[in-house]
C-alpha cells in the first residue's frame, strides 16, 4: 500500500510540474520528512539536534490513517487533475474521482470533509475565471459521490440515536469550542506562494490558490460550528503534505526559471 501511495504522489506531482525528478523527491519527502517542515519541529531540530519525541519518520507506516486514507486523498487529487485538465473525451477520470470521493466516506472523516471543502474553493476560483465547464464537472462529481456514501449516513443515523452517542462523541474529540487555530506552517507556505506564484504553471496556481483557504477553513470550522473535531488531523495528514508538495514545486520552478 505504501509503495502504491508513493507512486500516486509521484504521478500527482509530476502532473503539477511535468518534472519526473520533482515527483521522485516529493513522494519520499511527504512520507518520511513531513515533521521537518513544521516550524516548531525545525527550530527544535536546530537547537537540540533531535525532533520532538512524538515526531517519527514512520507516520505513514501506520495502517488505515494516514496510510490508506492518503491513498484515497492523493488518488482523488490525481484523478481530479486529469479530469479537469486531461483530454476532453476522457470521462474515466471523472468516474474515478467520484468513486474515490464516495468511498472515502467509509475510510476517514477528515478525508472526505477536506475534499468537499477543497471542491468548494475550486468552484469559487473557477467562478472568478469564468470557467463554467470545470465548475460543472466539480459539482457533478461531488453530487454523484453522495449516493455512494448512503450506507455511511444510515450507519451515522443509527449511531446518533443511541443514548450514549453524545458522551461517546465527546470522548472522541467532539467538544464545544469557538477558538481560532492558526497554523504557522500554512502562513509561511502562503507567504512563499504569494512571493513566487508567478513562476508556477497556471494550472498549479489554481490548485494552490484553492488549497490555502481550504487549509485555513478546515482547522477553524469550530469557529462557525461551535464543535471542535480534533482537527489536528487536517493539519498533519492533509495540510502538511500539500505544503511539502508546494515547496517542491516552487523549488523546481525556480531551478527551471
Amino acid at each position: 500500500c505504501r509503495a502504491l501511495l508513493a507512486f500516486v504522489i509521484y504521478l500527482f506531482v509530476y502532473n503539477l510540474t511535468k518534472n519526473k525528478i520533482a515527483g521522485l523527491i516529493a513522494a519520499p519527502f511527504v512520507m518520511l520528512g513531513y515533521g521537518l517542515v513544521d516550524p516548531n519541529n525545525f527550530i527544535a531540530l536546530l537547537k537540540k539536534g533531535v525532533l520532538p519525541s512524538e515526531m517519527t519518520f514512520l507516520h505513514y507506516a501506520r495502517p488505515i490513517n494516514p496510510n490508506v486514507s492518503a491513498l484515497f486523498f492523493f488518488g482523488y487529487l490525481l484523478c481530479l487533475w486529469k479530469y479537469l485538465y486531461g483530454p476532453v473525451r476522457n470521462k474515466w477520470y471523472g468516474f474515478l474521482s467520484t468513486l474515490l470521493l464516495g468511498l472515502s466516506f467509509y475510510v476517514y472523516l477528515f478525508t472526505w470533509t477536506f475534499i468537499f471543502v477543497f471542491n468548494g474553493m475550486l468552484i469559487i476560483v473557477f467562478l472568478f475565471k469564468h470557467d463554467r465547464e470545470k465548475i460543472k464537472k466539480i459539482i457533478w462529481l461531488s453530487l454523484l459521490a453522495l449516493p455512494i456514501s448512503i450506507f455511511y449516513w444510515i450507519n451515522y443515523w443509527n449511531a446518533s440515536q443511541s443514548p450514549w452517542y453524545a458522551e461517546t462523541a465527546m470522548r472522541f474529540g467532539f467538544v464545544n469550542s469557538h477558538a481560532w487555530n492558526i497554523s504557522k506552517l500554512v502562513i509561511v507556505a502562503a507567504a512563499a506562494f504569494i512571493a513566487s506564484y508567478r513562476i508556477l504553471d497556471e494550472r498549479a496556481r489554481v490548485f494552490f490558490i484553492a488549497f490555502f483557504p481550504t487549509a485555513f477553513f478546515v482547522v477553524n470550522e469550530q469557529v462557525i460550528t461551535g464543535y471542535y473535531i480534533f482537527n489536528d488531523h487536517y493539519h498533519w495528514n492533509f495540510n502538511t503534505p500539500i505544503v511539502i508538495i508546494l515547496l517542491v514545486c516552487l523549488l523546481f520552478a525556480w531551478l527551471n526559471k
Side-chain angles (χ1 to χ4, degrees), residues 66-132:
N67 197 8
V68 174
S69 58
L71 187 58
F72 279 80
F73 176 63
F74 284 107
Y76 172 81
L77 293 182
L78 173 62
C79 292
L80 178 66
W81 178 276
K82 302 291 283 187
Y83 183 47
L84 294 179
Y85 295 113
V88 176
R89 294 184 179 181
N90 194 343
K91 305 296 185 182
W92 280 106
Y93 287 111
F95 170 77
L96 290 174
S97 300
T98 301
L99 183 63
L100 287 168
L101 178 53
L103 292 177
S104 68
F105 280 80
Y106 304 99
V107 177
Y108 199 31
L109 167 69
F110 301 95
T111 302
W112 64 266
T113 49
F114 187 100
I115 290 174
F116 270 100
V117 175
F118 179 68
N119 284 355
M121 296 303 174
L122 272 178
I123 289 172
I124 293 174
V125 173
F126 286 127
L127 276 172
F128 281 100
K129 295 176 69 66
H130 306 288
D131 195 332
R132 295 183 179 180

Side-chain angles (χ1 to χ4, degrees), residues 14 16 31 53 65 79 92 119 121 139 161 178 225 247:
Y14 171 72
L16 282 175
M31 298 180 69
S53 58
N65 299 314
C79 292
W92 280 106
N119 284 355
M121 296 303 174
I139 290 176
Q161 302 309 300
H178 287 281
T225 65
L247 295 178

Side-chain angles (χ1 to χ4, degrees), residues 5-224:
L5 173 60
F7 184 60
V8 171
I9 295 173
Y10 160 79
L11 289 176
F12 177 59
V13 177
Y14 171 72
N15 277 275
L16 282 175
T17 62
K18 295 303 178 184
N19 190 308
K20 294 180 180 179
I21 303 300
L24 290 173
I25 291 176
F29 195 179
V30 167
M31 298 180 69
L32 298 176
Y34 74 99
L36 295 174
V37 299
D38 183 88
N40 291 333
N41 294 336
F42 187 70
I43 293 172
L45 182 64
L46 293 178
K47 287 183 176 179
K48 303 177 182 178
V50 295
L51 286 170
S53 58
E54 73 273 11
M55 301 304 301
T56 72
F57 292 101
L58 300 176
H59 187 62
Y60 281 87
R62 291 157 46 185
I64 310 302
N65 299 314
N67 197 8
V68 174
S69 58
L71 187 58
F72 279 80
F73 176 63
F74 284 107
Y76 172 81
L77 293 182
L78 173 62
C79 292
L80 178 66
W81 178 276
K82 302 291 283 187
Y83 183 47
L84 294 179
Y85 295 113
V88 176
R89 294 184 179 181
N90 194 343
K91 305 296 185 182
W92 280 106
Y93 287 111
F95 170 77
L96 290 174
S97 300
T98 301
L99 183 63
L100 287 168
L101 178 53
L103 292 177
S104 68
F105 280 80
Y106 304 99
V107 177
Y108 199 31
L109 167 69
F110 301 95
T111 302
W112 64 266
T113 49
F114 187 100
I115 290 174
F116 270 100
V117 175
F118 179 68
N119 284 355
M121 296 303 174
L122 272 178
I123 289 172
I124 293 174
V125 173
F126 286 127
L127 276 172
F128 281 100
K129 295 176 69 66
H130 306 288
D131 195 332
R132 295 183 179 180
E133 184 64 28
K134 289 185 177 60
I135 292 173
K136 288 191 294 184
K137 286 183 176 181
I138 296 171
I139 290 176
W140 273 112
L141 73 86
S142 299
L143 291 176
L144 292 175
L146 294 177
I148 302 174
S149 70
I150 186 65
F151 295 106
Y152 169 88
W153 295 110
I154 292 173
N155 186 62
Y156 172 77
W157 169 258
N158 291 334
S160 67
Q161 302 309 300
S162 170
W164 298 287
Y165 175 78
E167 181 179 353
T168 303
M170 291 186 64
R171 293 179 183 272
F172 278 92
F174 287 71
V175 297
N176 296 324
S177 175
H178 287 281
W180 289 91
N181 189 356
I182 306 301
S183 170
K184 289 180 283 187
L185 174 65
V186 173
I187 291 175
V188 171
F193 174 73
I194 292 171
S196 309
Y197 80 99
R198 293 184 182 276
I199 66 174
L200 290 174
D201 178 81
E202 170 65 21
R203 297 172 301 175
R205 288 205 297 263
V206 169
F207 172 85
F208 289 116
I209 288 172
F211 162 70
F212 282 109
T214 301
F216 178 80
F217 179 83
V218 294
V219 297
N220 287 288
E221 51 76 30
Q222 71 278 359
V223 176
I224 299 174

